[in-house]
Amino acid sequence: MMTDWRSIITLEPGKRGGKPCIRGLRISVQDVLGWLAAGMSAEDIVREYPELTKEDVLACLAYAADREKHSAWVRAAA
């Protein structure tokens, strides 16, 4: 079952340029996804940023997966 990111991911216009963040913190979904892409595990991230939980990391993945479901590629005219 996928984590319900809606209770964890927040959007605040004045924080981090309106990027989706975790529970109102100044840590964005983009930050977490970048750390995962760089090879950090969820456990590494929580150890490095103790204000986060493993559920927060999973919420970022769920958010990204949900966004991907609703995205479309548009080919530019040549």
Side-chain angles (χ1 to χ4, degrees):
M1 186 171 143
M2 191 178 295
T3 300
D4 182 17
W5 58 265
R6 289 166 190 85
S7 63
I8 297 172
I9 305 302
T10 58
L11 292 169
E12 297 179 43
K15 191 172 284 183
R16 295 292 306 264
K19 291 181 181 180
C21 292
I22 301 166
R23 293 182 287 105
L25 300 171
R26 298 193 64 80
I27 299 173
S28 71
V29 170
Q30 181 181 2
D31 294 332
V32 174
L33 295 176
W35 297 328
L36 290 167
M40 289 179 79
S41 69
E43 291 77 15
D44 293 336
I45 293 169
V46 171
R47 191 170 30 258
E48 186 77 22
Y49 300 91
E51 61 269 42
L52 298 179
T53 67
K54 186 173 180 182
E55 184 179 3
D56 294 333
V57 175
L58 294 175
C60 291
L61 289 172
Y63 175 84
D66 195 45
R67 292 282 308 236
E68 183 62 24
K69 276 194 291 189
H70 302 289
S71 66
W73 287 88
V74 177
R75 178 174 275 182

